Amino acid sequence: MSRPFFFGYGSLVNIHTHTYGETSTAELQGWRRVWQMTPLRPHPFLSIEPHESSTIQGLIAHVPDGDWAQLDAREYGYDRLSTDHVKHARDDDPEVAIYVVPKPAPSLELGKGPILLSYLDVVIQGFLKEFGESGVRAFFDTTAGWDHPVDNDREAPKYPRHQRLTPHETALVDAELKRLGIEV
């Protein structure tokens, strides 16, 4: 029986936001990131959706003893799905799960809640550490849903796992948002 792993593509890429070990860089083929609204929160979650021509970077990490309860609690509002579309350099063949925000019913009007800048900062800090500046650029380019406004909550972070960014990290996030024409 293979050992269980998850593929993180957002805040889970930042290893300072969790205690899961045995992390390895990986790619998920046939999916892209998207900012997804849900009735559970007033701001969008970072999710993924099938997209045949896309590949996104992330991390896989081991779930000790197959105990998903703690991770499922952290990722509430997401569905956990098994996948065989994750490519990695590990010698073993781990069982890998992904977390996806379910699409709301078409009749549900959710609007365009703001992306929390403190959340985006955490994600980008992780991508910079794991994939460098080219990985940060790839994150922005392989994520859909940038039509949401951005809530600059850096001074009073609303994201529960926020991290302190260096001036370089802050400037990088701000430059990428500006490159995409997103006002903060």
Side-chain angles (χ1 to χ4, degrees), residues 78-121:
Y78 288 81
D79 290 339
R80 178 170 31 102
L81 310 172
S82 293
T83 183
D84 59 358
H85 294 257
V86 175
K87 304 301 178 205
H88 53 82
R90 293 186 59 88
D91 291 334
D92 56 353
D93 188 23
E95 173 185 324
V96 180
I98 54 177
Y99 283 89
V100 180
V101 175
K103 295 283 185 189
S107 61
L108 194 58
E109 294 276 336
L110 296 177
K112 290 283 183 188
I115 297 166
L116 297 179
L117 189 55
S118 60
Y119 177 30
L120 180 59
D121 284 346

Side-chain angles (χ1 to χ4, degrees), residues 32-173:
R32 70 175 178 182
R33 284 181 212 83
V34 61
W35 292 104
Q36 176 70 50
M37 290 299 296
T38 171
L40 300 175
R41 294 186 185 165
H43 54 84
F45 283 77
L46 193 55
S47 187
I48 52 177
E49 63 185 9
H51 193 262
E52 190 174 304
S53 63
S54 292
T55 297
I56 60 173
Q57 296 173 315
L59 288 184
I60 58 171
H62 175 54
V63 180
D65 301 319
D67 182 6
W68 290 97
Q70 183 180 11
L71 187 57
D72 286 348
R74 172 190 164 132
E75 300 301 306
Y76 81 90
Y78 288 81
D79 290 339
R80 178 170 31 102
L81 310 172
S82 293
T83 183
D84 59 358
H85 294 257
V86 175
K87 304 301 178 205
H88 53 82
R90 293 186 59 88
D91 291 334
D92 56 353
D93 188 23
E95 173 185 324
V96 180
I98 54 177
Y99 283 89
V100 180
V101 175
K103 295 283 185 189
S107 61
L108 194 58
E109 294 276 336
L110 296 177
K112 290 283 183 188
I115 297 166
L116 297 179
L117 189 55
S118 60
Y119 177 30
L120 180 59
D121 284 346
V122 163
V123 172
I124 298 307
Q125 185 181 56
F127 271 83
L128 181 61
K129 180 184 181 301
E130 299 297 335
F131 301 104
E133 289 189 16
S134 64
V136 169
R137 172 72 51 108
F139 169 87
F140 280 93
D141 290 343
T142 60
T143 302
W146 292 110
D147 54 337
H148 289 270
V150 176
D151 178 2
N152 186 352
D153 66 332
R154 280 183 178 146
E155 294 300 314
K158 298 174 187 169
Y159 182 64
R161 289 174 287 282
H162 69 275
Q163 301 289 311
R164 182 177 300 272
L165 269 61
T166 66
H168 173 71
E169 292 166 337
T170 301
L172 188 58
V173 172

